[in-house]
Amino acid sequence: MTIPTTFISALLLTTTALAQSTPPTSATTAPAKTTTTKRPIRPSDVMRLQSIADPQVSPDGKWVAFVQSGVDVSKDKRNPDVWMVSWDGAESVQLTSSPDGESTPRWSPDGRYLSFLSGRSGAPGTATGTQLWLMDRRGGEAKKLTDLKGELEEYEWSPSGRKIAMVIRDKDYADSAKTKIRTPYVLDRHQFKADMKGYLDRRPMHLYVFDVATKTLDTLTKGVYDETAPAWSPDETQLAFTSNRSADPDKNENTDVYVMAARSGAQPRQLTNWPGRDGGAVWSPDGKQLAYLRSTASTNFIMYDQPILALIAVDGTATTMPQPRLLSQALDRPIRNARWSPDGQRIGILVDDDRRTQVAEYSVADGKLTYLTVGDRAFADLEPNPKGGWATLMSDPQLPTEIYAVENGATRRLTNVQNEFVAPLSLATVTGYTSRSKDGAQVSNLLFMPPSGPTGKLPTVFYIHGGPVSQDTYGFDLTRQVLAGGGYAVVAVNYRGSNGRGIDYTKAIYGDWGNKEVLDILGAADALIQKGTADPARLGIGGWSYGGILTNYVIASDTRFKAAASGAGSSLQLTMYGSDQYVNQYENELGLPWKNLDKWLKVSYPFLKADRIKTPTLFMASEKDFNVPVAGSEQMYQALQTLGVPTQLIIYPNQFHGITTPSYQQDRLVRYLSWFDQYLKGNLSTAQTGR
């Protein structure tokens, strides 16, 4: 279809309606274009996959703005653009198309404007970096609204549309304007590094209010503390925000909800005082309450936490701190994306529950939970439609993320962005199964079967999720689909430490890494071997982040795996203290190394007992990773090199913990298949094919 480059009035749009596939619970519409011959998915398909994020419903309820990202092969990067789709799904329009990319679309309250963030160039002599841009629905090109010197992190329109709350980090003045050579890092913080952010100085993030008409910026907060997640009260007189105002925020995981008058000089008032995490507050439509997320854990178990939906009264005259009402405490499942319904009677949430993520609502009056969706799929993100219903993202095992409407008891698909991607593909079938670990624990798993439908015992790869506090769901999984497309049965194991099974299941591995999780993975393997699905002589294992760490634990514990691919992992955990970003977790969970050396050495057994490893292992890492630094992979690679175990080390230049360069994403998938093919199939040709 023709792609407009300006924001044309919605009343004048003349676009080609996108072909609709059959949604799960809606009327049948025109089918997607099909091909006569389908093929397995390949690593190169990563270049065709579209990404969808951040759905935002217009104030009139007729449109959903969102961000769609595709790969610009010539520049080897993803380029995000702002699109919108009509609520009936009939029309889809691209709104931006600059090479710089745009993100974070937000509607003005009257629906006249759509704002977004972009680093695109403005007028000569104006500030560079990410700025706020504005499109007028009546037509014309987008205009740069701000000329900020600092770093714009977040923003939110006021209810009247006259003001915008902003979170801005102070400008970094460390780079020399003349030589472009950065001055030395001067660090004096306890938490002095973070992935993607790099070394951390003491530049704070503060709240500001931007006047749209005059383009003036008023400072609301000052000092050494960070403020995030601003939320306007319905009458526009107050802002709620999240902050850690303890004596040294670097040394704990505490955050609390604060409220303050939305004017310079006003003093914030602390509304919550839970020792753990409170944050992400959203106002009720009548302005009397805030819904927010509170951690289950108060201190030590923060890493293994699951958020609880909490309600708290906002009374500006109260002299004592109000007590919150914990709506989801009895649910014992993680919830997120809390959003009020327009009538203030319900709060929509997403619930993570045993391989699934569903949309649900809590009744404010009686605390009753009602699920709005069912089935083997995974929802993500949630925004209310002012006219009723919810906009959300959803994927299932054979369809990447699309935008859906949830209304009147039905789930209706709005976008068809992924039709072209899936049309030529024959994808793996995905089923769930449970296994018993050696100590009796019941574990939930997913099995991806190759699309060719082979029979008999299959070469099988256990691809382990990171976290550890996350879960593998029935959502679309590109990596496992590619491995299955290569002829492997692929297994996802929600080992102890994963969420979706309750807080006790999640925190079962506290201070005891590489023990229960290994039992769970081996139990999942035993179940498939006994069933006759997995060939015990052709087992592989791999993963990224904690999945890479667990890969190291498994191959140091059991020699049954004939090939391994450990990505962004570590084993000599003692050397991670001060090298990565988890100093608080280490001190809480393992204790100080010089006082608890035995515990640190115990969880470092893959390196200290590397001579037990017989599995050929591919190690992979990102050059600039401060989450799990490259040293963790280098150490294990060096150990296996010395021991004469087949090994290889791949380092991706200028990448952080998550690989973002498309060609590197493809390269990683190619190397997975090549390594497993070599040791599980005796096939050396994969690396030359490029897949």
Side-chain angles (χ1 to χ4, degrees):
M1 72 182 207
T2 302
I3 299 176
T5 57
T6 60
F7 192 7
I8 304 172
S9 169
L11 297 175
L12 301 177
L13 289 174
T14 54
T15 61
T16 303
L18 295 176
Q20 297 276 344
S21 66
T22 305
T25 56
S26 68
T28 302
T29 51
K33 184 178 179 180
T34 60
T35 57
T36 56
T37 303
K38 292 184 180 289
R39 60 170 176 81
I41 192 171
R42 300 187 291 249
S44 57
D45 286 314
V46 72
M47 298 295 187
R48 301 192 306 112
L49 182 63
Q50 298 291 311
S51 173
I52 297 180
D54 205 4
Q56 298 289 319
V57 185
S58 62
D60 61 10
K62 295 180 179 179
W63 294 90
V64 181
F66 60 98
V67 177
Q68 179 176 330
S69 302
V71 175
D72 183 336
V73 178
S74 65
K75 296 183 178 180
D76 199 10
K77 70 172 187 177
R78 283 194 169 272
N79 188 57
D81 295 307
V82 177
W83 289 65
M84 69 178 185
V85 62
S86 58
W87 188 250
D88 61 9
E91 294 179 288
S92 185
V93 186
Q94 183 172 356
L95 304 177
T96 68
S97 60
S98 81
D100 302 287
E102 296 80 27
S103 67
T104 324
R106 296 292 183 268
W107 298 92
S108 63
D110 61 5
R112 177 178 170 182
Y113 298 101
L114 188 68
S115 56
F116 60 85
L117 299 180
S118 179
R120 57 166 72 175
S121 300
T126 59
T128 58
T130 299
Q131 300 290 339
L132 188 62
W133 293 71
L134 207 60
M135 284 181 165
D136 192 320
R137 257 184 108 151
R138 295 170 299 180
E141 296 290 342
K143 297 180 180 179
K144 191 169 76 164
L145 185 63
T146 62
D147 193 31
L148 305 174
K149 308 303 181 184
E151 300 171 14
L152 179 58
E153 304 280 351
E154 303 175 66
Y155 75 98
E156 180 173 297
W157 286 87
S158 70
S160 70
R162 293 192 294 267
K163 299 177 181 179
I164 299 174
M166 296 181 176
V167 175
I168 303 174
R169 186 183 296 278
D170 290 352
K171 181 178 174 58
D172 185 357
Y173 291 97
D175 290 330
S176 170
K178 294 182 178 180
T179 65
K180 305 299 182 183
I181 301 298
R182 199 196 193 284
T183 59
Y185 294 102
V186 179
L187 307 172
D188 60 0
R189 295 180 57 168
H190 185 69
Q191 182 76 53
F192 68 95
K193 64 197 310 185
D195 194 43
M196 299 183 71
K197 296 179 181 178
Y199 291 107
L200 301 178
D201 54 27
R202 290 191 177 272
R203 291 181 297 133
M205 293 187 295
H206 286 317
L207 293 181
Y208 298 81
V209 170
F210 182 83
D211 188 290
V212 176
T214 64
K215 295 187 178 183
T216 55
L217 193 67
D218 288 336
T219 303
L220 263 62
T221 60
K222 299 179 180 180
V224 299
Y225 301 110
D226 290 337
E227 292 90 25
T228 62
W232 289 94
S233 62
D235 64 5
E236 204 168 302
T237 62
Q238 298 184 86
L239 278 167
F241 63 90
T242 302
S243 185
N244 181 344
R245 301 203 165 198
S246 59
D248 189 345
D250 281 353
K251 292 187 176 182
N252 61 75
E253 302 294 330
N254 172 252
T255 56
D256 284 300
V257 176
Y258 292 77
V259 292
M260 69 179 298
R263 54 179 173 77
S264 296
Q267 293 300 308
R269 176 168 62 95
Q270 185 174 345
L271 200 63
T272 66
N273 64 350
W274 180 242
R277 294 173 182 161
D278 297 314
V282 286
W283 293 82
S284 60
D286 63 7
K288 295 181 179 180
Q289 298 184 84
L290 285 169
Y292 66 97
L293 300 184
R294 196 193 88 164
S295 65
T296 300
S298 59
T299 51
N300 290 345
F301 295 103
I302 288 291
M303 178 67 183
Y304 305 96
D305 186 58
Q306 58 183 27
I308 297 171
L309 176 62
L311 287 179
I312 196 165
V314 183
D315 184 353
T317 64
T319 57
T320 60
M321 193 166 292
Q323 293 302 306
R325 179 184 170 200
L326 306 179
L327 265 68
S328 69
Q329 186 172 34
L331 180 64
D332 196 22
R333 291 292 185 270
I335 68 99
R336 50 196 164 91
N337 289 85
R339 298 290 186 271
W340 290 87
S341 63
D343 61 9
Q345 301 302 307
R346 293 157 289 121
I347 300 175
I349 56 170
L350 298 178
V351 182
D352 293 326
D353 183 22
D354 195 9
R355 295 166 291 185
R356 302 162 184 87
T357 302
Q358 304 290 2
V359 180
E361 289 179 341
Y362 269 102
S363 167
V364 175
D366 58 14
K368 181 182 178 181
L369 176 66
T370 302
Y371 282 91
L372 305 182
T373 61
V374 296
D376 293 340
R377 43 191 177 167
F379 290 85
D381 224 328
L382 191 67
E383 292 295 334
N385 186 315
K387 304 302 181 182
W390 303 90
T392 184
L393 303 176
M394 191 271 280
S395 72
D396 64 38
Q398 295 191 322
L399 181 68
T401 301
E402 298 276 16
I403 297 177
Y404 289 76
V406 177
E407 57 183 355
N408 302 320
T411 301
R412 179 170 53 86
R413 184 172 166 184
L414 300 186
T415 59
N416 291 272
V417 171
Q418 310 296 357
N419 281 1
E420 185 176 349
F421 175 80
V422 300
L425 302 178
S426 177
L427 294 168
T429 57
V430 182
T431 56
Y433 78 96
T434 58
S435 58
R436 287 281 180 184
S437 302
K438 187 177 180 180
D439 61 358
Q442 181 174 303
V443 179
S444 299
N445 315 293
L446 296 170
L447 173 63
F448 293 66
M449 290 296 285
S452 56
T455 58
K457 298 178 180 180
L458 297 176
T460 303
V461 174
F462 290 75
Y463 193 83
I464 310 303
H465 74 70
V469 184
S470 63
Q471 67 162 346
D472 287 317
T473 70
Y474 284 100
F476 185 80
D477 192 307
L478 178 67
T479 298
R480 293 186 178 93
Q481 282 285 354
V482 168
L483 289 170
Y488 295 94
V490 184
V491 185
V493 182
N494 281 319
Y495 52 86
R496 277 169 284 185
S498 306
N499 63 17
R501 291 280 303 280
I503 190 66
D504 288 340
Y505 189 89
T506 300
K507 69 180 186 181
I509 67 171
Y510 181 87
D512 187 24
W513 310 339
N515 179 13
K516 296 181 178 69
E517 318 98 290
V518 173
L519 295 179
D520 295 344
I521 293 169
L522 297 180
D526 290 339
L528 282 190
I529 292 170
Q530 293 169 7
K531 187 178 179 181
T533 301
D535 184 346
R538 294 188 292 168
L539 298 181
I541 187 169
W544 197 265
S545 192
Y546 200 77
I549 294 171
L550 265 185
T551 295
N552 299 345
Y553 280 126
V554 170
I555 61 176
S557 303
D558 197 296
T559 58
R560 72 175 70 184
F561 294 93
K562 307 308 178 186
S566 173
S570 62
S571 292
L572 185 53
Q573 310 303 355
L574 187 62
T575 63
M576 293 296 104
Y577 184 88
S579 297
D580 65 21
Q581 62 187 22
Y582 295 108
V583 61
N584 282 333
Q585 182 193 350
Y586 293 149
E587 293 180 355
N588 285 330
E589 192 170 347
L590 301 179
L592 298 172
W594 47 92
K595 289 187 177 182
N596 294 274
L597 183 59
D598 288 348
K599 181 173 283 191
W600 280 87
L601 296 180
K602 180 182 177 182
V603 298
S604 298
Y605 74 80
F607 182 84
L608 299 177
K609 298 180 180 179
D611 54 346
R612 298 183 179 183
I613 298 175
K614 308 302 178 186
T615 305
T617 305
L618 173 69
F619 294 100
M620 312 170 92
S622 297
E623 182 184 28
K624 294 186 176 181
D625 189 347
F626 276 178
N627 189 312
V628 186
V630 66
S633 295
E634 292 172 336
Q635 290 165 349
M636 287 301 293
Y637 165 76
Q638 191 68 70
L640 295 199
Q641 273 282 345
T642 298
L643 291 165
V645 177
T647 186
Q648 194 174 69
L649 175 64
I650 310 299
I651 299 176
Y652 291 102
N654 299 311
Q655 297 295 288
F656 301 110
H657 190 61
I659 303 293
T660 56
T661 300
S663 65
Y664 293 161
Q665 294 173 340
Q666 178 178 334
D667 179 89
R668 178 170 53 181
L669 294 172
V670 169
R671 293 183 188 279
Y672 282 160
L673 286 170
S674 177
W675 194 260
F676 290 127
D677 284 355
Q678 179 177 351
Y679 291 101
L680 303 184
K681 296 181 180 178
N683 182 354
L684 302 178
S685 64
T686 307
Q688 283 75 45
T689 67
R691 292 282 180 164

